């Protein structure tokens, strides 16, 4: 039998070490109080006491970017998919009232391309910086035979903390107002349907779309709502935040409401981003199906007492996250929809 080695089996340890060295500056730029060590250890350390929290409860979230990654690979647009990965995790944390503290990523591929992986991790680091959490570690897995050449997969893991007395949600009441913060587009959900439409229709990623291409519109990164959540911290009458991901408003808003309550939503109350209009027309998608699959233009819902809604909206506007009044809490379970998208 010929002499064997790990490299001959398809795993390049030197490439992995090169990637770690390449991404160290980007990770270091995300440092925040509590972050302790540089990359490269067996585990990543974080000093919770350094955050200044008195009685903290840890909150953890993990997610990926789904088959949106397939489009990013096909278009070789790897600079923004890291934003999607971070946003899908930290936007969940804030719904518990938590401040994102640190983030770890998992990058798996058949053969490591250091240049491409560096682009992805640079995007992750940039989003961590924008969200105020530290990129303190991760894992790069080279697995020959598990992925097609050029393919890779991503997963993200975020940890945050919230003071024990500030955990969200708190019970909403009938008559509370639902504010909606607009999404940047599809975010990172529903792309299996999007790809089916592209495969079966006469649409292409390079088709003109506004001032750019359809591919550009579809790959618009997920919006980070961390600044909006910080603006609402301490707001009297704040009941809940709901990150609108897979399942849309129909499934995600009830997760933030007490059992037995629901909400009535007014569809004409917010603008529908053009990419959704294309999607609904291209797929002949019924309105109820659209609302159960996509965010439909609302990436974060905020439930607040009626007498505090104006103040909450003013805080959000000052934070650069203007909100629309999109509905109200009802004493009937489920989501009731009024009107149609304008």
């Amino acid at each position: 039998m010929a002499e064997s080695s790990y490299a001959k089996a398809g795993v390049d340890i030197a490439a992995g070490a090169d990637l770690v060295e390449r991404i160290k500056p980007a990770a270091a730029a995300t440092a925040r109080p509590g972050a302790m060590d540089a990359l490269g250890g067996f585990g990543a350390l974080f000093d919770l006491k350094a955050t200044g929290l008195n009685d903290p409860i840890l909150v953890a979230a993990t997610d990926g970017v789904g088959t949106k990654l397939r489009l990013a690979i096909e278009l070789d647009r790897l600079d923004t998919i890291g934003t999607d990965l971070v946003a899908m995790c930290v936007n969940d944390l804030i719904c518990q009232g938590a401040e994102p503290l640190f983030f770890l990523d998992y990058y798996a591929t058949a053969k490591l391309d250091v240049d491409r992986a560096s682009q992805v991790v640079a995007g992750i680091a940039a989003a961590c910086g924008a969200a105020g959490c530290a990129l303190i570690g991760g894992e790069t897995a080279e697995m020959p035979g598990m992925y097609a050449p050029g393919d890779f997969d991503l997963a993200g893991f975020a940890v945050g903390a919230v003071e024990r007395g500030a955990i969200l949600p708190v019970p909403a009441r009938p008559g509370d107002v639902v504010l909606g913060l607009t999404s940047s587009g599809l975010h990172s959900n529903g792309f299996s349907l999007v790809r089916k439409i592209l495969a079966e229709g006469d649409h292409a990623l390079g088709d003109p779309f506004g001032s750019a291409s359809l591919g550009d519109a579809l790959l618009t990164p997920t919006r980070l709502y961390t600044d909006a959540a910080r603006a609402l911290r301490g707001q009297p009458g704040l009941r809940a935040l709901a990150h609108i991901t897979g399942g849309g408003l129909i499934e995600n808003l009830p997760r933030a409401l007490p059992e037995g309550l629901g909400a009535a939503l007014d569809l004409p109350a917010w603008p529908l981003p053009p990419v959704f209009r294309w999607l609904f027309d291209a797929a002949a998608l019924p309105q109820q199906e659209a609302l159960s699959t996509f965010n439909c233009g609302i990436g974060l819902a905020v439930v607040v007492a009626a007498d505090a809604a104006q103040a909450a909206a003013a805080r959000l506007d000052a934070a650069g996250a203007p909100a629309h009044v999109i509905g109200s809490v009802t004493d009937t379970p489920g989501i009731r929809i009024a009107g149609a998208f304008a």
Side-chain angles (χ1 to χ4, degrees):
M1 182 177 178
E3 182 178 324
S4 296
S5 70
Y6 212 10
K8 288 180 179 179
V11 178
D12 187 347
I13 295 175
D18 185 18
L19 177 61
V20 171
E21 291 304 312
R22 288 252 206 124
I23 65 178
K24 277 184 177 179
T30 70
R32 57 152 293 149
M36 294 179 63
D37 282 346
L39 301 182
F42 289 100
L45 304 180
F46 190 91
D47 181 3
L48 190 57
K49 185 178 290 187
T51 63
L53 295 169
N54 295 312
D55 188 13
I57 300 295
L58 293 178
V59 184
T62 183
D63 212 334
V65 297
T67 58
K68 185 176 187 177
L69 185 58
R70 178 81 264 152
L71 299 188
I73 291 171
E74 289 176 8
L75 288 172
D76 196 28
R77 282 276 306 277
L78 307 180
D79 56 333
T80 61
I81 202 72
T83 298
D84 290 294
L85 186 67
V86 173
M88 292 300 289
C89 295
V90 301
N91 286 347
D92 280 351
L93 292 184
I94 62 174
C95 293
Q96 307 296 149
E99 174 70 18
L101 299 178
F102 59 85
F103 189 88
L104 301 97
D105 67 286
Y106 176 79
Y107 182 104
T109 186
K111 183 171 180 56
L112 182 60
D113 182 321
V114 175
D115 289 336
R116 298 176 81 224
S118 296
Q119 291 181 56
V120 175
V121 178
I124 292 171
C128 283
C133 64
L135 176 60
I136 64 172
E139 171 69 7
T140 303
E142 201 170 22
M143 300 190 291
M146 288 294 291
Y147 298 92
D151 280 357
F152 63 90
D153 199 9
L154 286 175
F157 311 88
V159 172
V162 56
E163 293 284 12
R164 188 180 300 271
I167 296 172
L168 293 176
V170 298
R173 305 169 188 171
D176 286 347
V177 169
V178 181
L179 302 175
L181 278 63
T182 56
S183 66
S184 55
L186 273 64
H187 286 183
S188 298
N189 299 106
F191 276 85
S192 293
L193 176 54
V194 170
R195 291 173 52 246
K196 184 175 188 292
I197 294 166
L198 291 168
E200 296 179 354
D202 57 355
H203 309 281
L205 293 173
D207 289 349
F209 193 88
S211 60
S213 70
L214 179 58
D216 292 328
L218 293 173
L219 286 180
T220 300
T222 305
R223 179 162 288 165
L224 290 158
Y225 293 105
T226 44
D227 284 347
R230 291 185 186 108
L232 290 172
R233 201 161 290 158
Q235 169 64 51
L238 178 64
R239 315 288 199 211
L241 306 179
H243 185 200
I244 311 304
T245 55
L249 284 157
I250 299 296
E251 291 190 12
N252 286 288
L253 184 51
R255 295 170 63 186
L257 299 175
E259 186 175 353
L261 298 188
L265 301 180
D266 181 27
L267 294 193
W270 72 87
L272 186 69
V275 69
F276 287 104
R277 182 65 63 197
W278 168 84
L279 178 64
F280 299 165
D281 291 345
L285 205 61
Q287 184 168 280
Q288 189 71 16
E289 178 71 14
L291 288 162
S292 300
T293 306
F294 300 99
N295 68 62
C296 295
I298 297 296
L300 187 77
V302 178
V303 182
V304 63
D307 60 3
Q310 187 174 353
R315 285 193 183 198
L316 291 168
D317 190 60
H324 303 273
V325 176
I326 64 171
S328 60
V329 175
T330 68
D331 57 7
T332 304
I335 304 299
R336 189 172 76 250
I337 302 297
F341 289 116

